[in-house]
């Protein structure tokens, strides 16, 4: 009696058998995405967290069974799609949560199949070369010299503070507006920096006069200062007065970081690019293309004026960047990130840039900004609704007229629970507002009107 043969291992995604193995699985995924979307029937699953959790629990069953289920891919993809907040639905407009471009998503599949890791050249020869080309090109768009890839705005802001701390003898003190993203004070805490100085932002943007006072009060001979400005706030999409802030930093010898995670994509637009005047004066700039760049998560960058600032990231690990390998010409990748294992998110960005070009991406930016103005016009003309202000980017704040803050919050939660619309919330001027962030270039005027009808029909009378 012979030795029994072990079962054949499951197919791989790459190699000679990869394409043949993937094709039927991709058909399964696409079919399940469609069936899940139809089962959901709207921008969000109905029933709230408990109902969604119950449906996922039923679909998942035993997560690690004794014997595998060949139908698991279809079942779980369907369940995920049925329970998703779908950014491609025009009534899903709460956050900086974009519907990714099909071409970018297809490129991301290639990354998953090939599975390069950008911690050493021998794991990612072509990907490392492509990343260098694309990061330099995007840095030049911002008027800077180089950029490194991150997971998004939070990591970029953290890295910006780290570079500032390491390049300023004696550490650094962060000064930022009250409108700044929460990741900045959190990064200061994580890095052991002093408590940040928060400068008033009474109109939603950093006040230059208050910044001047803070710089004067905190200047030499105290700790070196880092000012963080914002180009695209998360609440209202507002842009700080960058030229004035840059001039103040130059006059006081302060380092400048600009968090342009939201608004940085205006660089692609001939119509709106001048709103980022002053960006080139920054020492570091946060960019994030999984917002107004229509990339699958993650697609962040940190651009730097002085490439030598990145030298502090350098690490030596003999198995990844031995000295003799580096001297022989193998690129050293460990100084390009805080992370070790790193997927080449640059491919989807490169494919998008090459496919659409600057004018194509700029047209998308222009279109969603125009949609926001159209939406604001509809609110202005509606007697039952109140508009906060004209939009700067593609975010619009509004609320039912004469409603209390509790009523505004209840409207949003009711729409979420019913699965009919996904709106965000923002507190400005000591009032609570509904927030619509329009990132879907396929949204039509009728969709905007339908969203307002849902709000009006849910608001208390």
């Amino acid at each position: 009696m012979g030795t029994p043969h072990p079962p054949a291992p499951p197919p791989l995604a790459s190699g000679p058998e990869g394409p043949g193995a993937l094709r039927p699985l991709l058909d399964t995924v696409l079919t399940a995405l469609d069936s899940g979307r139809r089962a959901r029937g709207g921008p969000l699953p109905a029933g709230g967290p408990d109902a969604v959790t119950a449906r996922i629990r039923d679909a998942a069953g035993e997560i690690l069974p004794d014997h595998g289920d060949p139908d698991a891919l279809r079942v779980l993809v369907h369940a995920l799609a049925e329970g998703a907040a779908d950014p491609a639905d025009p009534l899903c407009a709460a956050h900086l949560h974009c519907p990714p471009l099909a071409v970018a998503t297809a490129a991301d599949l290639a990354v998953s199949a090939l599975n390069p890791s950008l911690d050493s050249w021998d794991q990612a020869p072509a990907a490392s070369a492509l990343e260098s080309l694309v990061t330099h090109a995007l840095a030049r768009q911002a008027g800077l010299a180089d950029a490194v890839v991150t997971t998004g705005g939070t990591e970029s802001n953290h890295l910006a503070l780290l570079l500032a701390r390491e390049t300023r003898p004696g550490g650094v003190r962060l000064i930022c507006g009250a409108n700044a993203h929460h990741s900045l004070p959190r990064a200061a805490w994580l890095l052991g920096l002093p408590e940040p100085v928060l400068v008033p932002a009474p109109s939603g943007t950093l006040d230059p006069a208050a910044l001047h006072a803070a710089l004067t009060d905190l200047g030499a001979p105290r700790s070196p200062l880092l000012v963080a400005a914002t180009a695209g706030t998360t609440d209202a999409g507002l842009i700080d007065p960058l030229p004035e802030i840059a001039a103040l930093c130059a006059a006081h010898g302060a380092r400048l970081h600009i968090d342009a995670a939201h608004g940085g994509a205006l660089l692609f637009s001939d119509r709106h690019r001048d709103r980022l005047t002053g960006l080139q004066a920054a020492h570091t700039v946060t960019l994030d293309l999984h917002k107004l760049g229509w990339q699958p998560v993650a697609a962040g960058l940190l651009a730097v004026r002085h490439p030598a600032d990145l030298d502090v990231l350098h690490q030596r690990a003999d198995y990844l960047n031995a000295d003799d390998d580096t001297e022989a010409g193998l690129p050293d990748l460990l100084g390009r990130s805080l992370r070790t294992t790193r997927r080449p998110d640059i491919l989807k960005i490169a494919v998008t840039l090459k496919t659409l070009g600057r004018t194509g991406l700029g047209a998308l930016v222009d279109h969603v900004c125009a949609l926001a103005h159209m939406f604001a016009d509809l609110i202005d003309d509606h007697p039952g609704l109140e508009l906060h202000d004209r939009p700067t980017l593609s975010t619009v704040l509004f609320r039912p007229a004469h409603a209390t803050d509790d009523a505004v919050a209840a409207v949003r939660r009711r729409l979420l629970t019913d699965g009919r619309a996904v709106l965000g919330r923002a507190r400005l001027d000591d009032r609570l507002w509904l927030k619509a962030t329009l990132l879907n270039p396929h949204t039509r005027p009728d969709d905007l009107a339908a969203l307002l009808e849902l709000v009006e029909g849910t608001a208390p009378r």
Side-chain angles (χ1 to χ4, degrees):
M1 189 171 181
T3 303
H5 293 289
L12 303 176
S14 59
E17 311 297 328
L22 275 175
R23 283 191 182 96
L25 297 176
L26 292 180
D27 186 63
T28 297
V29 167
L30 295 174
T31 300
L33 286 173
D34 187 55
S35 66
R37 175 193 59 82
R38 287 186 281 105
R40 185 180 66 245
L44 195 75
D50 290 344
V52 173
T53 299
R55 287 194 290 268
I56 285 291
R57 187 181 293 113
D58 288 345
E62 188 177 353
I63 292 297
L64 185 61
D66 288 338
H67 302 286
D69 178 0
D71 202 28
L73 178 65
R74 181 194 64 80
V75 169
L76 289 177
V77 171
H78 172 99
L80 192 70
E82 183 181 2
D86 185 1
D89 190 299
L91 300 183
C92 185
H95 302 287
L96 291 164
H97 178 200
C98 72
L101 294 169
V103 70
T105 305
D108 219 25
L109 169 65
V111 164
S112 293
L114 293 169
N115 208 30
S117 180
L118 280 157
D119 49 326
S120 64
W121 181 87
D122 57 351
Q123 297 176 80
S128 60
L130 182 65
E131 182 176 87
S132 179
L133 291 172
V134 177
T135 51
H136 281 89
L138 287 171
R140 287 194 297 271
Q141 282 291 311
L144 301 179
D146 196 4
V148 291
V149 177
T150 68
T151 53
T154 294
E155 185 187 342
S156 292
N157 286 341
H158 189 172
L159 180 55
L161 265 65
L162 173 64
L163 298 184
R165 187 190 73 178
E166 296 301 300
T167 55
R168 294 276 174 157
V172 70
R173 182 89 182 264
L174 173 65
I175 304 176
C176 60
N179 62 335
H181 193 264
H182 65 84
S183 60
L184 285 161
R186 183 164 67 174
W189 167 67
L190 286 168
L191 291 167
L193 300 179
E195 186 75 17
V197 177
L198 293 184
V199 175
S203 61
T205 56
L206 191 153
D207 179 12
L211 176 61
H212 174 67
L215 287 168
T216 301
D217 181 56
L218 295 168
R222 304 185 188 184
S223 297
L225 301 175
L226 168 67
V227 173
T230 305
T233 60
T234 50
D235 275 348
L238 303 178
I239 297 175
D240 286 340
L242 303 181
E244 294 94 326
I245 293 170
L248 286 169
C249 288
H252 288 270
R255 186 179 173 96
L256 175 60
H257 170 64
I258 298 177
D259 177 3
H262 184 180
L266 295 185
L267 290 168
F268 301 123
S269 166
D270 291 334
R271 184 179 305 172
H272 298 293
R273 183 186 180 95
D274 61 352
R275 296 185 181 186
L276 295 180
T277 298
L279 200 71
Q280 71 282 357
H283 294 79
T284 51
V285 173
T286 288
L287 301 170
D288 196 343
L289 295 178
H290 58 245
K291 295 180 173 64
L292 274 174
W294 295 278
Q295 298 299 294
V297 174
L301 299 103
L302 180 74
V304 298
R305 187 201 297 179
H306 302 299
D309 284 359
L310 297 172
D311 291 348
V312 300
L313 298 179
H314 178 76
Q315 294 289 321
R316 180 66 65 194
D318 192 66
Y319 76 105
L320 294 175
N321 59 349
D323 287 337
D324 57 321
D325 279 347
T326 303
E327 290 166 3
L330 295 184
D332 179 356
L333 304 184
L334 279 188
R336 302 293 298 178
S337 178
L338 291 172
R339 293 170 284 148
T340 303
T341 301
R342 204 163 50 83
R343 75 193 303 268
D345 289 312
I346 206 66
L347 177 64
K348 62 198 174 193
I349 298 173
V351 167
T352 301
L353 298 177
K354 189 77 172 172
T355 301
L356 297 183
R358 187 182 61 80
T359 55
L361 275 168
L364 289 179
V365 171
D366 293 347
H367 182 65
V368 295
C369 290
L371 279 174
H373 280 275
M374 186 184 303
F375 192 48
D377 289 339
L378 291 175
I379 295 166
D380 251 346
D381 293 339
H382 197 297
L385 298 172
E386 179 184 354
L387 177 68
H388 177 265
D389 204 351
R390 304 301 300 179
T392 298
L393 297 176
S394 66
T395 298
V396 182
L397 303 184
F398 68 104
R399 54 184 281 147
H402 313 299
T404 65
D405 284 357
D406 286 345
V408 172
V411 167
R412 174 179 174 270
R413 286 193 292 270
R414 173 51 57 195
L415 292 172
L416 292 176
T417 302
D418 292 346
R420 292 185 292 165
V422 189
L423 288 169
R425 54 186 285 163
R427 183 167 292 280
L428 284 177
D429 304 332
D430 293 323
R431 303 172 74 196
L432 186 64
W433 300 85
L434 298 174
K435 177 175 72 170
T437 304
L438 303 176
L439 296 180
N440 186 345
H442 292 271
T443 297
R444 303 165 302 174
D446 287 352
D447 298 319
L448 301 176
L451 183 55
L452 294 184
E453 286 179 11
L454 286 172
V455 170
E456 183 185 25
T458 309
R461 299 181 184 278

